[in-house]
Amino acid sequence: MRLAGKRVLITGAAHGIGRATLELFAKEGARLVACDLEEGPLREAAEGVGALAIPMDVADPRSVEEGFGKALEALGGLDGVVHYAGITRDNFHWKMPLEDWEAVLRVNLTGSFLVARAASAAMRERNPGSIVLTASRVYLGNLGQANYAASKAGVVGLTRTLALELGRYGIRVNALAPGFIETRMTAKVPEKVREKAIQATPLGRVGEPIEVAYAALFLVSDESRFITGQVLFVDGGRSIGAAPA
């Protein structure tokens, strides 16, 4: 019960890493609010663990504000916010339509700002807590993902800056940087690309959503109470370089 009594909001909670985190946090005793744009899957995921389901479009300021308002009304405060919601629109930059560039930046980076700002307001006014954003190993650079890499690099800068600004309030801000994880998003990756990613990963396999969820658990729990402004890679070692052939 590492999160016993902690009030936590999770975005992107309907599928993949978000749902794995929702289920793990429930087992660890958290009181939960689950948010996602897909209402049907969201309600199914929330009902399975007794969480409050609140539909949210993280790129819409009003939706974020209203969602956090409902969460605060239901829980009385927030001790943790874990933000996963994001999208991809992959292509080489010379083929990338401007609308795909802007959509990814709007959801992944502006959405992270809006969620973090709402979390900050809730915690500054009531109690300190932990904000966990989601970057990606891809922020180091990756073929065909100029928009995604730029958005996630922005999340890293945002994380570090918010950690500086919110430390005086006792609020910690960290980011997760997953590698190739078995999700709906990576299921769209061509098999040839998938095999290359696995070969380049020192641990030689794809990651599982629960492995990212455990990292989020650590960052929300009191076990990480002296850690802020950090990027925690959950990527099988891929960020340190390609595995030897």
Side-chain angles (χ1 to χ4, degrees):
M1 302 295 283
R2 295 159 69 186
L3 299 179
K6 286 192 181 290
R7 301 156 296 181
V8 183
L9 181 150
I10 301 171
T11 73
H15 302 283
I17 297 170
R19 183 159 184 169
T21 302
L22 187 72
E23 294 170 354
L24 177 62
F25 280 26
K27 292 177 183 177
E28 293 290 343
R31 297 170 58 198
L32 294 163
V33 169
C35 301
D36 203 287
L37 191 59
E38 298 184 48
E39 293 191 35
L42 170 64
R43 297 195 184 284
E44 178 186 348
E47 288 173 4
V49 297
L52 172 64
I54 299 178
M56 182 185 293
D57 178 356
V58 300
D60 180 349
R62 178 174 294 182
S63 179
V64 173
E65 183 178 344
E66 291 178 353
F68 269 80
K70 293 175 182 177
L72 290 171
E73 183 179 351
L75 299 181
L78 286 170
D79 303 295
V81 171
V82 184
H83 174 53
Y84 290 118
I87 63 171
T88 57
R89 296 286 187 274
D90 296 348
N91 217 326
F92 286 104
H93 74 275
W94 60 82
K95 298 180 180 179
M96 186 176 292
L98 182 58
E99 53 266 32
D100 285 357
W101 168 269
E102 292 176 338
V104 169
L105 269 291
R106 185 175 66 252
V107 174
N108 295 358
L109 183 53
T110 301
S112 294
F113 169 74
L114 293 173
V115 168
R117 185 176 65 174
S120 164
M123 293 174 185
R124 290 197 328 272
E125 294 174 4
R126 292 172 172 81
N127 55 274
S130 173
I131 300 171
V132 180
L133 302 179
T134 302
S136 168
R137 187 206 67 78
V138 169
Y139 93 86
L140 299 171
N142 202 47
L143 288 170
Q145 291 193 298
N147 49 4
Y148 191 72
S151 72
K152 295 304 185 177
V155 170
V156 172
L158 176 64
T159 297
R160 293 169 63 89
T161 300
L162 295 184
L164 291 171
E165 294 179 350
L166 295 174
R168 73 187 71 179
Y169 301 100
I171 299 171
R172 299 183 294 108
V173 188
N174 294 287
L176 296 168
F180 202 103
I181 309 296
E182 198 71 79
T183 65
R184 290 194 311 167
M185 190 179 289
T186 57
K188 301 174 184 177
V189 173
E191 188 61 30
K192 184 181 295 186
V193 175
R194 177 189 179 91
E195 287 303 316
K196 285 185 178 180
I198 292 173
Q199 291 170 11
T201 301
L203 289 184
R205 65 175 177 85
V206 173
E208 300 174 13
I210 189 63
E211 293 173 311
V212 182
Y214 271 113
L217 171 62
F218 170 67
L219 292 175
V220 173
S221 77
D222 292 338
E223 295 165 11
S224 60
R225 60 185 177 271
F226 200 54
I227 298 175
T228 193
Q230 302 304 305
V231 178
L232 177 56
F233 286 90
V234 189
D235 68 347
R238 182 67 182 88
S239 55
I240 60 176

